[in-house]
Amino acid sequence: MDQNTLYERILGLSSPWHVTGIILNEGQQEVTVHVSCDADVKLTCPLCGQPSPRYDSHRRTWRHLDTCQFQTWVTADVPRVQCAQHGCRTVQVPWAKGNSRYTQLFETRVIVWLKEASIHSVSRQLKLSWSAIDGIMARAVTRGLKTRKALSSQHISVDETSFRKGHDYVTIISNAEGQVLAVEDGKSSESLARFYKQLTEPQKDNVCSVSMDMSPAYRKATLQYVPDARKKIAFDHFHIAQSLTDALNATRKVEMRTVDAHLRQEAHQSRFHWLRNRHTLTDIQRDRLNRLTMALSDTALVWYFKEKARDIWKGNRVRDAKSAWQEWIGLAKASSIRPLITVAGQIEDNLWGILNAMRLQASNALAEAINSKIRLLRVKAYGFRNKERFKRAILFHFGGLVMEPTHSNG
């Protein structure tokens, strides 16, 4: 097998395309593969497929997979045809798609690497600019979204994450399989509404639960677009627990100002013990909290309510949960501890969604896990230049997309 035939096999070429020459530049460690199209072959318009006469040709170059340690480039004088309907059009080559400057096999390699490594690492290893990698990622996501089959939207989770420091957010909608369905700008009612507007009426009817925090904005959009949403909105346990944790921290910080000097250091060292589940405390930690109960009486009371709320959520049947929560709310409001009273009011106002979460066994656990991975992705990428790149990266890594280009044999 001669070298021209070898590269024809590597590139998957068939008539009318063939390799006409190979140039090796050892100084620059490059291999250039020259490809030509038979001059007498009849060409068609790439848009409509109608036979069209040749107009002219222009030279293009594509980056291909390396040959050993040598960067490999494919060059060709690509014909253009004069279509009666679409005018002058460039013929599609079999080794690349559209206006890409990279062969399909090279783009596939970049996509595989991006799934495993950071943009910085891929850029360094393949000697590509970040803009070039972003272009490949953009085409991959567009291709994946175009061919993606309808994903399950029976059980939806809605969460937000920050694009960068400050108050610049995106809304992330995912399903029970941990796949990101959509990423929308902001965290407003309209942000979530844009996703719902993309669903068909049968898809909206098919939604069984929508797990979210107690955001009025997300609630408003869901009530507007999802049929019978009042029975499907589920306020996630994580956010209730977070509110109680915040109330506990706020109470402890206030009480720390009045703690006796000889107890202050031990009280400070106990700050993380109060946040733990009582069943995970060690004997030493439990003894420390018991010693501090008198000095931090309000903190201990909020801690009790935090643990009682956990018991209600985990241990009660749904039919008994409503009365258990109402009793909890009444006792919490009678405590005279302002942060706890605030949380009790929040739970009272949103009790219907909390009960939905218990009945539907809906949770934002997968959404929170995706959010953690997104934050790690942002760190590994050293941040993102703009929000569109950030949104694209989320869909690339967590959208469940099939993004590799389909290689054509011409």
Side-chain angles (χ1 to χ4, degrees):
M1 180 184 297
D2 61 25
Q3 61 182 6
N4 288 3
T5 304
L6 174 63
Y7 273 96
E8 286 176 358
R9 294 283 185 87
I10 290 173
L11 292 170
L13 300 183
S14 59
S15 180
W17 299 94
H18 55 273
V19 174
T20 57
I22 310 292
I23 297 176
L24 174 65
N25 188 327
E26 293 188 61
Q28 295 185 5
Q29 291 197 318
E30 290 183 349
V31 174
T32 302
V33 182
H34 293 281
V35 179
S36 295
C37 179
D38 291 335
D40 57 350
V41 70
K42 293 182 179 180
L43 301 176
T44 59
C45 173
L47 296 182
C48 63
Q50 293 299 314
S52 304
R54 287 177 183 253
Y55 179 74
D56 64 2
S57 64
H58 68 287
R59 177 154 294 189
R60 292 188 58 193
T61 301
W62 297 262
R63 171 89 180 270
H64 187 54
L65 297 174
D66 291 353
T67 302
C68 297
Q69 74 272 28
F70 292 88
Q71 279 193 8
T72 302
W73 302 86
V74 177
T75 66
D77 292 322
V78 184
R80 294 196 297 176
V81 297
Q82 185 66 44
C83 176
Q85 181 179 354
H86 298 105
C88 185
R89 294 289 174 177
T90 301
V91 171
Q92 180 65 59
V93 298
W95 57 85
K97 292 292 186 182
N99 294 321
S100 173
R101 296 184 293 115
Y102 308 95
T103 66
Q104 294 177 69
L105 290 174
F106 185 83
E107 289 207 4
T108 298
R109 175 63 59 84
V110 174
I111 290 168
V112 170
W113 275 57
L114 283 172
K115 290 178 180 179
E116 302 296 333
S118 68
I119 294 175
H120 179 72
S121 298
V122 176
S123 172
R124 187 177 64 251
Q125 291 297 323
L126 296 180
K127 298 180 176 62
L128 286 173
S129 69
W130 281 39
S131 294
I133 293 174
D134 183 64
I136 292 173
M137 183 181 284
R139 287 189 292 275
V141 171
T142 299
R143 190 163 48 240
L145 290 173
K146 189 175 181 180
T147 59
R148 180 166 73 171
K149 296 179 181 178
L151 298 178
S152 172
S153 56
Q154 280 188 310
H155 301 283
I156 295 172
S157 293
V158 185
D159 201 5
E160 78 275 349
T161 192
S162 60
F163 162 53
R164 55 189 168 196
K165 290 183 178 179
H167 299 283
D168 200 353
Y169 290 88
V170 295
T171 293
I172 301 170
I173 303 98
S174 57
N175 63 14
E177 286 71 41
Q179 299 165 315
V180 172
L181 303 178
V183 184
E184 302 291 346
D185 285 341
K187 57 174 185 175
S188 65
S189 174
E190 183 56 32
S191 302
L192 184 54
R194 284 194 294 270
F195 165 73
Y196 287 136
K197 290 174 184 177
Q198 297 171 17
L199 300 180
T200 63
E201 290 305 317
Q203 286 175 320
K204 294 176 186 176
D205 290 335
N206 199 40
V207 173
C208 297
S209 69
V210 184
S211 183
M212 63 178 73
D213 60 20
M214 290 176 280
S215 162
Y218 291 158
R219 182 191 319 168
K220 176 182 176 182
T222 304
L223 288 170
Q224 182 177 355
Y225 290 98
V226 176
D228 210 13
R230 185 84 180 179
K231 296 180 180 178
K232 300 176 180 179
I233 293 175
F235 296 132
D236 181 56
H237 170 259
F238 171 83
H239 297 283
I240 305 297
Q242 185 64 52
S243 295
L244 284 167
T245 296
D246 292 342
L248 180 61
N249 271 330
T251 304
R252 181 186 59 78
K253 289 176 181 178
V254 170
E255 281 200 301
M256 280 292 293
R257 301 169 189 165
T258 60
V259 170
D260 289 343
H262 71 282
L263 286 175
R264 192 158 297 160
Q265 182 177 357
E266 186 174 19
H268 178 72
Q269 291 172 344
S270 73
R271 63 193 185 280
F272 296 119
H273 303 343
W274 296 106
L275 305 181
R276 298 185 63 175
N277 181 336
R278 68 180 183 276
H279 300 298
T280 64
L281 290 169
T282 65
D283 290 340
I284 294 175
Q285 291 167 346
R286 191 176 290 108
D287 289 342
R288 172 174 284 175
L289 296 188
N290 287 335
R291 286 197 303 273
L292 293 169
T293 296
M294 293 300 294
L296 298 173
S297 57
D298 284 355
T299 302
L301 186 57
V302 178
W303 179 83
Y304 167 80
F305 275 97
K306 173 179 73 74
E307 293 300 302
K308 186 64 177 176
R310 190 195 307 274
D311 291 343
I312 294 172
W313 198 292
K314 299 295 183 182
N316 282 70
R317 294 180 302 169
V318 176
R319 67 174 60 184
D320 300 328
K322 185 175 181 179
S323 58
W325 276 117
Q326 288 173 335
E327 181 182 1
W328 186 97
I329 292 166
L331 292 172
K333 284 188 170 182
S335 69
S336 75
I337 302 172
R338 186 171 298 277
L340 181 60
I341 293 172
T342 299
V343 176
Q346 188 181 41
I347 292 175
E348 184 176 36
D349 293 341
N350 297 285
L351 184 57
W352 58 277
I354 295 171
L355 295 174
N356 284 344
M358 298 178 69
R359 174 175 56 83
L360 298 168
Q361 296 186 339
S363 168
N364 254 20
L366 275 176
E368 292 295 338
I370 292 172
N371 210 336
S372 296
K373 292 178 181 177
I374 290 171
R375 288 193 290 269
L376 180 60
L377 176 69
R378 189 174 58 229
V379 171
K380 289 172 65 177
Y382 297 97
F384 288 85
R385 185 176 299 177
N386 57 59
K387 191 181 288 186
E388 289 306 312
R389 287 190 174 186
F390 181 52
K391 291 162 58 179
R392 188 156 51 236
I394 293 172
L395 288 170
F396 180 91
H397 288 281
F398 311 112
L401 305 177
V402 177
M403 298 173 289
E404 291 78 6
T406 303
H407 187 64
S408 169
N409 289 324

